[in-house]
Amino acid sequence: AALNGHAFGAGAMFALVHDQRVARRDRGWFCFPEVDIGLRLHPFMLAFTRARLGDAVALEALTAGRRYDGEAAVAAGIASSSVAEVELIGTAIDLATARAGKNPEMVAQMKRDLYAPVLAAFDASE
């Protein structure tokens, strides 16, 4: 995902759906503001956020509503890189291209295995 500006709430969740994220260095924040507006995450969304960010970053992001600029997002592992606007799309394409050609069935199975607890949280919520 190429994050060209703010990714708040559902936008942050949508960014996490992507395997890799590139943030703009000079503009935008990644943030879960739910704590400030009184909203809880669905159990599946919480499990997914923890799986993508790790417990320590998820704790800070969700309970503090921290706004991560591009460099802070890289330091926290939210984004793989933070680049100038003119490099954003090219960098995102390069990241995606590096994964192209992998066996899609094997990639899908690896993701099912990696995210088994998240899928269980989804199944439990039905």
Side-chain angles (χ1 to χ4, degrees):
L3 308 181
N4 68 344
H6 297 324
F8 269 58
M13 187 63 62
F14 183 68
L16 290 182
V17 169
H18 296 80
D19 289 332
Q20 294 180 296
R21 292 155 298 283
V22 179
R24 243 177 91 168
R25 183 178 300 131
D26 65 330
R27 178 175 179 222
W29 290 305
F30 178 96
C31 178
F32 285 105
E34 285 79 359
V35 69
D36 296 316
I37 58 177
L39 294 176
R40 291 180 63 192
L41 291 184
H42 184 279
F44 166 72
M45 294 168 71
L46 179 60
F48 184 73
T49 301
R50 290 177 69 192
R52 284 292 192 173
L53 299 181
D55 287 340
V57 175
L59 178 68
E60 179 180 39
L62 294 172
T63 64
R66 177 174 173 187
R67 294 179 181 193
Y68 296 84
D69 65 12
E71 294 299 318
V74 171
I78 296 166
S80 58
S81 59
S82 175
V83 299
E85 179 183 15
V86 297
E87 302 171 77
L88 187 66
I89 300 301
T91 302
I93 289 171
D94 289 347
L95 287 170
T97 301
R99 292 178 178 225
K102 302 297 180 193
N103 180 320
E105 290 83 19
M106 182 54 63
V107 171
Q109 185 58 56
M110 291 285 190
K111 286 184 178 185
R112 280 191 294 275
D113 294 344
L114 282 168
Y115 296 107
V118 175
L119 295 172
F122 180 75
D123 290 342
S125 67
E126 290 183 16

